[in-house]
Amino acid sequence: MLTTESETITALDLTWVRCQFPSLSRTVDGHPAVFFDGPGGTQVPQGVIDAMVDYLKQNNANSGGAYATSRFTDAMIAGARSAMADLFGCDPDEVVFGQNMTSLTFAISRSIGRELGPGDEIVLTHLDHDANISPWRALEERGVTIRMVDIHEEDCTLDMDDMARKITNRTKLVAVGYASNAVGTINDVKEIVRLAHAQGALAYIDAVHYTPHAPIDVRALDCDFLVCSTYKFFGPHMGVLHGKREHLQRLQPYKVRALTNAVPFRWEWGTLNHECIAGITACVDYLASLGRHMDTSASTRRAAVLAAYEAIQRHERSLLERLVRGLLAIPGLKLYGIQDPQRFHQRCPTVAVRIEGQSPLALATKLGERGFFTWDGNYYAINLTERLGVEKHGGFLRIGLAHYNTGDEVERFLRALGEIVARRG
Ligand SMILES: Cc1ncc(COP(=O)(O)O)c(C=O)c1O
């Protein structure tokens, strides 16, 4: 693997990082696979794979039984809750496991909806993934009014004046993404939480796209709920929700009678995916070990996770600069979202483009044949693709970088895309 000058400056030990992920050595018809599909789901380190396999081999059981493997399972789930609490910056009993972000959001929206009716309003945004829209729109059947916050088309940022106008004393909840999975914009979530609370509304944050790229501190945000999916940040296919204890206690979940009313278990329905939960601890521990690898002075797991994110952010920023510079040099290419490197702290390394005369699907297919894994379409950010008028034309080509990507991969990608565009084939 080539190590370039800017990668050396970032100080992320890419050799160490890439050794943790067995899938990165995959090839496609002789081409090395380049995983620019992180926003759809990242690759998984060996530690996560081992934890899942070991659980199934040694300790597979249901929870709550009076025997060894069941006791192990209870302790293992408690351990994963602590790990996620370290990642979120909250207490373990404020962590709820679920099938994925979408299911958790429907669970919370149905429960909050029990208390809402005509005259109540919910504020959503055009930038969001549909998983943070449809569960709230479902409450229109109870007479709730939905208000949509617009975007600035030129850079795909939220119109914060519109946000401030739409949040009123009728607003009961504001649901917003931390970062856009289509165009990468990072929203000023702290300010949105402040605006919501000033009108007595709850704030529900979709951090699915943000979590692989930057650290979360739910106490500093003061958000009421924050939800993420572990398969987007190097873990197994599950969702995890943080809820403030007072809300998890007060709100009434739909649940079976036999399930305890204790928090957080009352929000976890049926038997959870235990092997995935075993993988979640290993996923947070992967970040912590990356952090300790970069900063040996990190004394707690949370400190180590924060150190990892610092290194991740520096590295991704340098990759993003190279990618955007190269993309903008391709004739006929339109990049959606923030383009000015001075403002790259306001975005993730997730880049949406369209190229004149080429459909996003055709581009993704040709790139895929050369081993570059990108995505085409709307990625469920359908309000955004409709708002920008690209939904009927195949959406965008999305290039999503993760910290295990290299400058060399970015350069090879730019060359391949340049060739495809030049040949139109
Ligand atoms: C920003 C964002 N929110 C929500 C989701 C839905 O997550 P899940 O698949 O865990 O339901 C996704 C999935 O792509 C996403 O990118």
Side-chain angles (χ1 to χ4, degrees):
M1 181 182 47
L2 285 179
T3 303
T4 61
E5 195 189 341
S6 61
E7 281 168 7
T8 315
I9 294 165
T10 65
L12 182 67
D13 185 347
L14 264 180
T15 307
W16 184 90
V17 166
R18 289 181 67 88
C19 279
Q20 312 300 313
F21 290 84
S23 59
L24 297 185
S25 59
R26 197 188 193 292
T27 57
V28 180
D29 294 334
H31 303 284
V34 175
F35 292 87
F36 287 170
D37 61 340
T42 51
Q43 298 308 299
V44 175
Q46 187 65 49
V48 170
I49 299 165
D50 290 344
M52 293 172 73
V53 171
D54 287 351
Y55 173 75
L56 288 171
K57 268 190 183 162
Q58 307 278 348
N59 291 298
N60 189 21
N62 213 325
S63 56
Y67 55 94
T69 52
S70 183
R71 288 195 179 118
F72 177 95
T73 298
D74 289 336
M76 182 278 290
I77 295 172
R81 232 180 269 289
S82 296
M84 283 306 299
D86 285 347
L87 190 107
F88 287 150
C90 67
D91 293 330
D93 67 340
E94 297 175 303
V95 171
V96 176
F97 292 116
Q99 190 182 347
N100 48 47
M101 179 276 181
T102 307
S103 314
L104 285 163
T105 304
F106 268 111
I108 298 293
S109 78
R110 284 172 67 85
S111 162
I112 288 177
R114 289 177 130 173
E115 302 179 344
L116 302 186
D120 293 327
E121 297 186 0
I122 290 181
V123 173
L124 311 175
T125 91
H126 279 292
L127 204 49
D128 272 69
H129 187 286
D130 203 52
N132 206 22
I133 293 187
S134 286
W136 307 111
R137 283 222 107 118
L139 302 182
E140 284 177 308
E141 68 191 17
R142 299 183 62 89
V144 171
T145 301
I146 301 294
R147 302 266 176 232
M148 296 299 295
V149 174
D150 206 358
I151 57 158
H152 298 293
E153 233 183 283
E154 65 281 8
D155 61 1
C156 297
T157 56
L158 280 182
D159 181 340
M160 289 297 282
D161 292 335
D162 195 35
M163 174 77 75
R165 268 193 307 276
K166 295 224 161 102
I167 300 175
T168 69
N169 59 7
R170 290 184 299 281
T171 309
K172 294 295 179 262
L173 180 130
V174 180
V176 67
Y178 210 148
S180 158
N181 69 316
V183 289
T185 315
I186 296 173
N187 298 317
D188 187 352
V189 163
K190 194 165 178 179
E191 174 59 8
I192 295 167
V193 173
R194 193 191 67 72
L195 289 169
H197 287 176
Q199 295 290 354
L202 298 173
Y204 188 95
I205 311 304
D206 170 4
V208 170
H209 191 67
Y210 188 76
T211 322
H213 306 295
I216 288 172
D217 184 341
V218 293
R219 295 273 187 264
L221 291 178
D222 196 27
C223 54
D224 299 285
F225 299 94
L226 180 143
V227 67
C228 67
S229 310
T230 46
Y231 72 96
K232 309 281 193 182
F233 62 101
F234 327 115
H237 287 91
M238 274 195 71
V240 190
L241 174 116
H242 157 75
K244 276 185 180 165
R245 186 179 298 108
E246 67 203 75
H247 302 317
L248 296 181
Q249 279 168 348
R250 194 191 63 74
L251 289 167
Q252 286 304 312
Y254 287 88
K255 66 183 258 314
V256 295
R257 283 174 301 159
L259 177 62
T260 172
N261 241 322
V263 162
F265 312 101
R266 65 202 299 245
W267 295 94
E268 294 173 343
W269 307 333
T271 306
L272 292 170
N273 188 329
H274 297 165
E275 58 274 27
C276 283
I277 293 177
I280 288 176
T281 305
C283 152
V284 177
D285 284 341
Y286 161 72
L287 285 169
S289 62
L290 170 59
R292 290 199 183 94
H293 187 74
M294 306 307 302
D295 174 4
T296 47
S297 71
S299 58
T300 62
R301 180 162 54 188
R302 174 136 178 101
V305 165
L306 296 180
Y309 276 118
E310 222 181 289
I312 286 172
Q313 282 181 300
R314 275 201 307 271
H315 175 64
E316 290 185 351
R317 171 90 182 237
S318 106
L319 293 184
L320 177 66
E321 284 174 15
R322 292 168 79 158
L323 177 67
V324 169
R325 202 182 318 122
L327 287 172
L328 292 177
I330 293 177
L333 181 142
K334 176 165 178 182
L335 193 152
Y336 293 80
I338 296 169
Q339 302 189 5
D340 176 2
Q342 302 296 322
R343 294 179 57 208
F344 278 1
H345 58 283
Q346 295 170 26
R347 65 165 301 150
C348 292
T350 300
V351 182
V353 299
R354 288 185 56 86
I355 299 181
E356 242 172 62
Q358 303 257 8
S359 79
L361 174 59
L363 287 170
T365 306
K366 287 169 203 163
L367 286 162
E369 285 160 3
R370 292 163 164 82
F372 298 98
F373 300 168
T374 59
W375 214 284
D376 68 284
N378 62 34
Y379 346 105
Y380 286 24
I382 190 160
N383 270 274
L384 182 66
T385 50
E386 283 175 347
R387 171 69 181 76
L388 294 172
V390 298
E391 178 58 24
K392 288 197 180 113
H393 309 284
F396 310 111
L397 175 76
R398 179 179 68 185
I399 307 132
L401 306 179
H403 75 289
Y404 47 65
N405 291 127
T406 72
D408 181 51
E409 288 179 330
V410 170
E411 298 301 336
R412 282 193 284 125
F413 170 80
L414 289 167
R415 270 200 304 279
L417 186 60
E419 276 166 29
I420 289 167
V421 171
R423 269 195 230 149
R424 286 193 168 244

